[in-house]
Amino acid sequence: MIPVIAIDGPSASGKGTVAQIVATKLGFHYLDSGALYRIVAFAIQQEGMDEADETRINQLLDTLRIEFNLGSIIVNKQDVTESIRSEECGKLASKVAALRSVRQHLLSLQQSFCQTPGLVADGRDMGTVVFPQAILKVYLTASANVRAERRYNQLISKGISANIMVLLQDIHERDFRDQTRLESPLKQAADAHFLDTSALTIDQAVNQVLIWYSAVSK
Ligand code: C5P
């Protein structure tokens, strides 16, 4: 069976960074499942659609041609790599991610990333729904204050102005929405390792995941 490492956790926990480094170190493919929900949100914004209009959103989903190409994300020939990273897009992504039809639509696309020699996938439901067979599951988190601070530093380093209290409130709202929705809510899988990175460096978090992986891949 193709080995999958599923890394789930709340927004701004650093799971994307950790997952990408683990994938590079193991020579595995990498799936950023949050990017798919952001792509849908971005397309809804561009079309000026109502975020609750499931019928039109379903029609829109059928028209999206998504390509991941050497670190770039191309949708219908448009490079959206940077545009989908805005706070606004993340917020809308978390709203449309609650729609059952959107999740159903993205399920087989996500599963198609499972290819040899292996996959590291990050998101909210990688270990619980998309890859329940994953050989290693990690629930990676950090305190809300640490996550707000990380997001703040990230935005400032990109020259984007930010307010830490607003970011903290957004994080609380996003956590609440992701954890309480009916469809694939964010939760730790019963067989997942818990990793709190509040006081860890990226390297320490990566090493811990690699140690767990080497223990299960023998
Ligand atoms: O991880 P990221 O912040 O880019 O994800 C954006 C939003 O997409 C999340 O807040 C979450 O609501 C949704 N998402 C999801 N399931 C995933 C990945 C992301 O519902 N597997």
Side-chain angles (χ1 to χ4, degrees), residues 150-170:
R150 287 180 186 163
R151 173 78 27 105
Y152 177 83
N153 291 334
Q154 206 177 38
L155 291 169
I156 296 297
S157 73
K158 285 189 194 165
I160 303 169
S161 68
N163 175 317
I164 198 149
M165 293 316 289
V166 172
L167 291 173
L168 184 60
Q169 194 185 333
D170 278 355

Side-chain angles (χ1 to χ4, degrees), residues 17-200:
T17 309
V18 171
Q20 274 183 71
I21 299 174
V22 170
T24 305
K25 288 198 182 246
L26 295 173
F28 282 9
H29 299 281
Y30 167 62
L31 167 63
D32 167 9
S33 63
L36 299 175
Y37 292 93
R38 285 172 180 267
I39 287 168
V40 177
F42 183 70
I44 290 171
Q45 271 176 337
Q46 273 200 319
E47 295 293 322
M49 278 183 189
D50 177 352
E51 68 200 38
D53 188 343
E54 227 171 322
T55 311
R56 280 196 70 201
I57 293 174
N58 280 334
Q59 289 164 354
L60 176 72
L61 284 168
D62 287 330
T63 68
L64 298 180
R65 298 286 163 264
I66 302 171
E67 296 161 60
F68 288 85
N69 192 355
L70 301 172
S72 295
I73 303 174
I74 316 290
V75 179
N76 297 346
K77 308 226 178 318
Q78 182 188 359
D79 189 330
V80 300
T81 319
E82 287 301 320
S83 342
I84 62 166
R85 294 293 152 202
S86 71
E87 288 297 300
E88 208 189 338
C89 207
K91 217 188 270 189
L92 182 57
S94 119
K95 290 183 185 163
V96 297
L99 301 175
R100 184 181 165 80
S101 51
V102 172
R103 305 202 74 84
Q104 277 301 113
H105 190 97
L106 295 178
L107 186 62
S108 56
L109 176 60
Q110 293 172 85
Q111 288 169 338
S112 71
F113 279 77
C114 181
Q115 290 175 16
T116 50
L119 174 71
V120 183
D122 86 63
R124 305 294 187 286
D125 59 345
M126 298 297 97
T128 50
V129 176
V130 182
F131 302 109
Q133 82 287 8
I135 186 171
L136 173 65
K137 299 180 187 178
V138 178
Y139 187 83
L140 193 151
T141 188
S143 73
N145 283 335
V146 167
R147 288 187 281 137
E149 210 175 301
R150 287 180 186 163
R151 173 78 27 105
Y152 177 83
N153 291 334
Q154 206 177 38
L155 291 169
I156 296 297
S157 73
K158 285 189 194 165
I160 303 169
S161 68
N163 175 317
I164 198 149
M165 293 316 289
V166 172
L167 291 173
L168 184 60
Q169 194 185 333
D170 278 355
I171 279 178
H172 281 305
E173 282 171 14
R174 194 110 70 93
D175 284 358
F176 181 76
R177 238 188 337 258
D178 289 351
Q179 287 163 348
T180 57
R181 68 180 177 221
L182 291 175
E183 296 297 327
S184 311
L186 166 66
K187 63 172 185 216
Q188 183 176 351
D191 49 353
H193 291 273
F194 181 79
L195 184 58
D196 184 336
T197 66
S198 303
L200 297 185

